[in-house]
Amino acid sequence: AREIVSLSALGISAPVPVYGQQDLHDPSMVVTNVDAGGLGLPDRDYYLKTETRFVEARAKYLEHMQKMFVLAGQDPAAAKAKAERIFAFEKRLAESMLDNVALRDPVQQDHKMPFADLAKLAPAFDWSAYFEANGLPRVDLNVTQPAFLQRFDEVLAKASVSDWRDYLEWVVLNNAADRLSKPFI
């Protein structure tokens, strides 16, 4: 949890992006949105659907992750195993996300609540530290996908430290890739 807070202060917001957006109830106001994120593939369909294009995308993503870890100095077999663990981790998060149809309905992403209620959705995470590290006020906010926050809380509490370490290592490597040497790009 501390590392998620540290990374967020550096602009790496995985798996919970927090940002300002117009309030759905008062467009003259901006409200803090707590969103669902942290996936390396575009959306939940890429993790869950069985159509050929999604199956192929998953295979290419696993290959891509493995290559990135090899470029970062890891053994190919270890990099492959790590990529598979990270994909399974991301899939657990994706399972609780809204699908693309639901995402087009603003009502399904409208869950305005006091800051204190955020901790009730994901009590294993230190939201106060997260908001403080990012200079955000602890005021009413919108949680776009409450079920995702509940899954995030579950994964935070139950996933192994090594799974979190691998996942966050991937998030950092993937975020930095465009600023690394040409093979990474």
Side-chain angles (χ1 to χ4, degrees):
R2 283 191 307 269
E3 190 60 28
I4 292 169
V5 171
S6 297
L7 290 174
S8 73
L10 297 173
I12 301 173
S13 58
V16 186
V18 177
Y19 54 89
Q21 185 171 322
Q22 283 184 307
D23 188 325
L24 295 171
H25 303 275
D26 181 359
S28 68
M29 301 295 292
V30 173
V31 66
T32 300
N33 267 4
V34 179
D35 206 350
L39 304 181
L41 291 171
D43 60 55
R44 76 185 300 272
D45 290 351
Y46 285 83
Y47 293 85
L48 306 176
K49 289 202 171 183
T50 58
E51 288 95 345
T52 302
R53 71 184 184 107
F54 295 114
V55 172
E56 289 173 354
R58 287 192 289 269
K60 289 178 182 177
Y61 181 52
L62 284 163
E63 183 181 319
H64 169 70
M65 281 195 287
Q66 179 184 359
K67 285 180 183 177
M68 293 284 280
F69 283 123
V70 169
L71 286 169
Q74 295 184 15
D75 170 79
K80 182 179 181 183
K82 184 180 279 193
E84 289 169 355
R85 285 192 308 274
I86 293 165
F87 181 84
F89 187 94
E90 289 182 357
K91 184 179 178 186
R92 279 184 276 173
L93 295 174
E95 290 168 343
S96 64
M97 292 179 168
L98 295 175
D99 64 23
N100 285 327
V101 174
L103 286 171
R104 289 192 289 264
D105 180 1
V107 172
Q108 292 200 43
Q109 296 184 71
D110 182 15
H111 308 282
K112 198 165 184 184
M113 62 184 67
F115 179 83
D117 288 354
L118 180 60
K120 294 175 186 172
L121 283 173
F125 189 69
D126 188 349
W127 292 104
S128 292
Y130 187 97
F131 274 60
E132 184 176 318
N134 289 285
L136 299 169
R138 295 178 203 154
V139 296
D140 289 356
L141 47 82
N142 182 54
V143 173
T144 62
Q145 299 186 47
F148 174 82
L149 278 192
Q150 290 169 328
R151 174 61 58 90
F152 165 64
D153 189 65
E154 174 188 312
V155 172
L156 187 62
K158 293 181 181 177
S160 70
V161 171
S162 63
D163 283 350
W164 273 105
R165 187 180 301 119
D166 290 346
Y167 168 73
L168 292 173
E169 180 183 0
W170 168 244
V171 167
V172 170
L173 181 60
N174 195 34
N175 273 276
D178 65 340
R179 293 176 297 282
L180 296 173
S181 62
K182 190 173 183 173
F184 284 96
I185 296 170

